[in-house]
Amino acid sequence: MAQNYFDKGEFDKATSMYEELDKKQPGNFYFTQKLVSCYQGLKQFDKAEKLLLSKKEKSNQPGFFVELGYNAQLQKDQSKADSYYKKAIDAVANQPNYAYQIGQAFEQKQLLQQAYNTYEIGQKNNSSMNFDYQMALLQGQMGNLDVMVVKLLDYSYSNVNATLNVQNQLVLFMQDDAENVFANSLKKELLIRTQKTQDIYWNQFLSWLYVNQKEYNKAFIQEKAIYKRNPESFDDIIQLAQICVNEKDNETAQAIFQFILQNTTDESTILNAQYFLLKNEIANSKPENYPLIQSKFDTLLSQFGDSPFSVDLQILAAHFKAFYLNDFENAKILLDKLMEMQLNIRQKAKVKMEMADVFVFNEKFNQAIIYYAQIQNDLPNDEYSHEASMRMAKTSFFKKDFDWAKKQAKELKQASTQLIANDAVELFLLISDNEAEDSLKVALQDFSKADLLEYQNKPAAALEAFLQILVKHKGQPIEAGTLYKVGRNYEKLGNFAKAISYYQTILDNHKDGIYIDEALFYSAEIYRKQLNDPEKAKSFYEKVVLEHPDSIYFTEARKQYRQLRGDKQQGI
């Protein structure tokens, strides 16, 4: 209760309660501190000083000098405050064991230089004490960031078990580093250390920094250097590959998995690498490549067998058969065989998810919904369950059951996964914005049909259907979403100039719509990856960063923007 009054600034009520507590436990330093703070809040500095002097006389603890000094400082009597602070520091010089207590007391009062001097004197007078960590952080708080970096790195190298603590502190400073100045300073110091010594500790630290900055290709360079000197384990490289997959840096992930295949004989590791490489190859393939991809599946499934060990590979094989070879029956047969195996609950959910997707592909919507619902029941409140719910909403949309799709999307708008929440918002707004002006929902029905064609991996047919919507429903609310879909399908078909033009139409005519950040981001991606125009790409990435900080594309846009500008400028 006393703390509650104190937090609300009701110092008179808190004071009476802390006085009672102090009487009951006169040796409790915490209650004394709180009572002193209450007196100070009421401007009763004389009472605070009298209490502190009486406590000091009874306990002879030098920490009271810090409290007395701070009480004087609040009254703007700096000479008196400095006198007390000197007494506290002198006590440490005489008895170094007081260093931590006094140093912490100064830190609590934000008396950073006095805290630093305390730790320095304590360590000097007792060589068994080590306050390098505290002193390094104090340097940072006092604005001496370069000094802090050097001291923290020295400390972590001397105390390897403290590396994680050091890295956590560095992350806190990087979070406030809007101009990337601190991160670049840290990077420079780490690069110097990797060049001066052959100790892989600094390569590992530098790899950690690159991962934190989402520069995964540079992290991979460090991990390769580590592996060459210590080829006993692939664990860190595999972990980096998985991070790249999760962050959708497919280019770096592919390079890592290829490196892994060249340097390991472990079957599980080989299977994971082959799975990703095949998945990436499928995503970037053309119909003429499909026979070669199928032969790779046949070889791998023959090598690793039809077992729970290769579930992900078999699911991918079924997906390829349905969505790329248009072979629904054999995809279903493969998934049925998987369902009969002894799988754990998450593996079973993966198979059910793919089975449902394949049913949607074949326009057997009710069967698909049954499987999505089973995942919801098997894994309630799980991220996988949320994904199944989103796909169920989309399936309802394909069924043209717009009311139910809208209801499901509304419930998912607060999903824990940002991507699911974003998709749910888009679907909800697509339906609600269009049904308001179209009671028969003709435009939505047309959009649903075109959207299903896109889902079925038929970009040419989907593109034609979306283009017809632009003609048939010109100027209606459905237009913005359709322009976006036209742009995306032109991209899939390799017509990047056309894609850019439709994204630009969104930017010109639908500035307040929900597709503006998509139009900016995908325009930037085309200019960077396909049209080799980094300056154009940079301008679009910059707009995402400056104008759409809540976008799901913000992080990737900022990363690419910084890389394109070379981090030479001050700014974002």
Side-chain angles (χ1 to χ4, degrees), residues 139-390:
Q139 287 283 6
Q141 292 174 61
M142 290 188 288
N144 305 320
L145 296 179
D146 288 344
V147 176
M148 181 193 76
V149 165
V150 171
K151 286 185 173 293
L152 277 180
L153 293 181
D154 287 344
Y155 174 76
S156 67
Y157 185 68
S158 302
N159 304 270
V160 174
N161 291 336
T163 300
L164 184 59
N165 284 340
V166 169
Q167 290 174 340
N168 288 339
Q169 288 296 333
L170 292 170
V171 166
L172 292 176
F173 280 89
M174 283 190 280
Q175 286 174 347
D176 296 327
D177 184 32
E179 297 178 358
N180 230 28
V181 175
F182 177 75
N184 287 336
S185 175
L186 174 58
K187 190 183 302 180
K188 181 180 178 182
E189 180 64 28
L190 286 169
L191 284 167
I192 291 170
R193 292 179 186 233
T194 59
Q195 292 162 4
K196 281 185 176 180
T197 174
Q198 293 298 304
D199 196 319
I200 62 172
Y201 178 84
W202 297 118
N203 299 96
Q204 291 168 333
F205 213 122
L206 189 54
S207 177
W208 165 84
L209 176 62
Y210 283 136
V211 169
N212 186 272
Q213 297 296 100
K214 298 186 181 296
E215 297 179 277
Y216 303 117
N217 57 330
K218 294 180 180 178
F220 179 40
I221 292 170
Q222 297 304 316
E223 291 298 336
K224 281 195 291 188
I226 294 165
Y227 177 75
K228 286 176 183 176
R229 291 183 217 162
N230 182 24
E232 294 178 6
S233 174
F234 258 14
D235 290 350
D236 289 341
I237 292 179
I238 292 171
Q239 185 178 6
L240 177 60
Q242 193 57 55
I243 291 171
C244 291
V245 171
N246 294 340
E247 294 292 323
K248 295 182 170 45
D249 185 349
N250 290 338
E251 186 177 340
T252 304
Q254 181 155 339
I256 296 173
F257 282 122
Q258 286 171 339
F259 177 81
I260 289 171
L261 287 176
Q262 294 165 6
N263 292 278
T264 188
T265 57
D266 179 72
E267 283 200 346
S268 176
T269 303
I270 290 171
L271 182 57
N272 287 336
Q274 292 284 18
Y275 168 82
F276 175 81
L277 291 172
L278 258 177
K279 188 175 181 180
N280 212 33
E281 187 176 351
I282 290 169
N284 297 287
S285 65
K286 294 180 180 178
E288 56 264 32
N289 306 129
Y290 294 170
L292 177 60
I293 292 173
Q294 183 58 54
S295 70
K296 289 182 179 180
F297 272 119
D298 293 340
T299 300
L300 286 170
L301 289 173
S302 174
Q303 178 182 352
F304 293 104
D306 297 335
S307 72
F309 180 63
S310 59
V311 166
D312 288 343
L313 183 66
Q314 292 180 72
I315 290 173
L316 184 61
H319 184 85
F320 180 70
K321 284 182 183 297
F323 286 82
Y324 292 83
L325 301 182
N326 201 24
D327 186 356
F328 166 77
E329 291 301 330
N330 280 314
K332 185 176 180 301
I333 288 170
L334 187 52
L335 292 169
D336 281 335
K337 281 176 63 180
L338 272 173
M339 293 284 280
E340 293 170 4
M341 292 182 187
Q342 293 295 317
L343 306 178
N344 63 45
I345 191 168
R346 296 196 72 79
Q347 287 177 319
K348 188 79 78 174
K350 282 184 180 181
V351 178
K352 288 180 178 180
M353 189 81 84
E354 187 61 40
M355 183 72 88
D357 291 349
V358 169
F359 273 127
V360 174
F361 172 87
N362 205 40
E363 300 183 37
K364 297 182 183 298
F365 302 125
N366 291 333
Q367 291 96 318
I369 287 172
I370 290 170
Y371 280 105
Y372 290 137
Q374 287 178 8
I375 295 169
Q376 291 176 316
N377 292 330
D378 293 341
L379 295 167
N381 301 318
D382 185 270
E383 196 172 298
Y384 219 62
S385 174
H386 292 161
E387 178 64 35
S389 299
M390 186 62 229

Side-chain angles (χ1 to χ4, degrees), residues 329-570:
E329 291 301 330
N330 280 314
K332 185 176 180 301
I333 288 170
L334 187 52
L335 292 169
D336 281 335
K337 281 176 63 180
L338 272 173
M339 293 284 280
E340 293 170 4
M341 292 182 187
Q342 293 295 317
L343 306 178
N344 63 45
I345 191 168
R346 296 196 72 79
Q347 287 177 319
K348 188 79 78 174
K350 282 184 180 181
V351 178
K352 288 180 178 180
M353 189 81 84
E354 187 61 40
M355 183 72 88
D357 291 349
V358 169
F359 273 127
V360 174
F361 172 87
N362 205 40
E363 300 183 37
K364 297 182 183 298
F365 302 125
N366 291 333
Q367 291 96 318
I369 287 172
I370 290 170
Y371 280 105
Y372 290 137
Q374 287 178 8
I375 295 169
Q376 291 176 316
N377 292 330
D378 293 341
L379 295 167
N381 301 318
D382 185 270
E383 196 172 298
Y384 219 62
S385 174
H386 292 161
E387 178 64 35
S389 299
M390 186 62 229
R391 296 191 194 191
M392 189 189 292
K394 196 74 175 179
T395 302
S396 298
F397 182 73
F398 293 146
K399 278 183 66 180
K400 301 180 177 57
D401 188 351
F402 301 122
D403 291 339
W404 183 241
K406 179 180 158 186
K407 180 179 182 296
Q408 290 172 304
K410 184 177 181 180
E411 291 171 357
L412 283 165
K413 287 197 296 179
Q414 302 301 320
S416 57
T417 304
Q418 189 182 10
L419 184 59
I420 294 174
N422 187 75
D423 289 346
V425 168
E426 286 194 1
L427 182 59
F428 176 81
L429 291 176
L430 176 69
I431 297 170
S432 57
D433 287 353
N434 285 281
E435 66 182 2
E437 294 188 23
D438 180 9
S439 59
L440 297 177
K441 301 174 184 174
V442 176
L444 277 175
Q445 291 184 50
D446 290 343
F447 193 97
S448 169
K449 188 184 300 181
D451 206 20
L452 178 60
L453 289 169
E454 182 181 24
Y455 179 88
Q456 292 169 323
N457 196 30
K458 300 173 182 176
L463 175 62
E464 182 59 33
F466 282 122
L467 286 170
Q468 288 178 15
I469 293 172
L470 288 179
V471 175
K472 186 177 176 182
H473 304 286
K474 183 175 177 61
Q476 295 181 24
I478 204 78
E479 186 176 74
T482 306
L483 288 166
Y484 169 63
K485 289 289 190 176
V486 169
R488 292 297 283 151
N489 281 284
Y490 268 127
E491 274 196 72
K492 291 174 185 176
L493 294 168
N495 194 334
F496 302 111
K498 277 282 192 182
I500 286 280
S501 70
Y502 278 91
Y503 293 145
Q504 189 60 49
T505 303
I506 294 173
L507 300 176
D508 292 340
N509 301 329
H510 300 277
K511 291 184 174 66
D512 298 325
I514 62 172
Y515 298 99
I516 194 80
D517 57 328
E518 277 98 340
L520 289 167
F521 180 77
Y522 285 114
S523 296
E525 291 282 277
I526 291 173
Y527 279 119
R528 179 174 68 90
K529 295 179 180 178
Q530 309 298 339
L531 304 182
N532 195 27
D533 190 340
E535 284 304 311
K536 272 276 193 183
K538 188 171 72 172
S539 68
F540 281 103
Y541 286 130
E542 185 178 24
K543 286 182 180 178
V544 177
V545 174
L546 292 176
E547 299 171 13
H548 303 276
D550 296 330
S551 170
I552 60 171
Y553 306 104
F554 173 82
T555 300
E556 180 63 18
R558 183 174 61 178
K559 169 191 166 185
Q560 296 300 339
Y561 174 75
R562 287 175 170 177
Q563 288 185 352
L564 288 173
R565 79 175 179 188
D567 273 326
K568 294 176 182 177
Q569 304 174 25
Q570 302 288 307

Side-chain angles (χ1 to χ4, degrees), residues 22-63:
D22 185 60
K23 286 178 185 176
K24 292 176 182 177
Q25 297 185 44
N28 189 315
F29 184 66
Y30 173 79
F31 289 153
T32 301
Q33 277 187 314
K34 283 295 183 183
L35 182 53
V36 166
S37 295
C38 286
Y39 288 147
Q40 290 166 345
L42 295 168
K43 309 294 184 186
Q44 297 174 353
F45 301 110
D46 290 342
K47 274 191 174 184
E49 183 176 20
K50 183 178 178 181
L51 175 63
L52 289 168
L53 287 170
S54 69
K55 296 286 185 180
K56 171 69 179 67
E57 187 177 341
K58 291 175 183 175
S59 69
N60 201 31
Q61 289 293 315

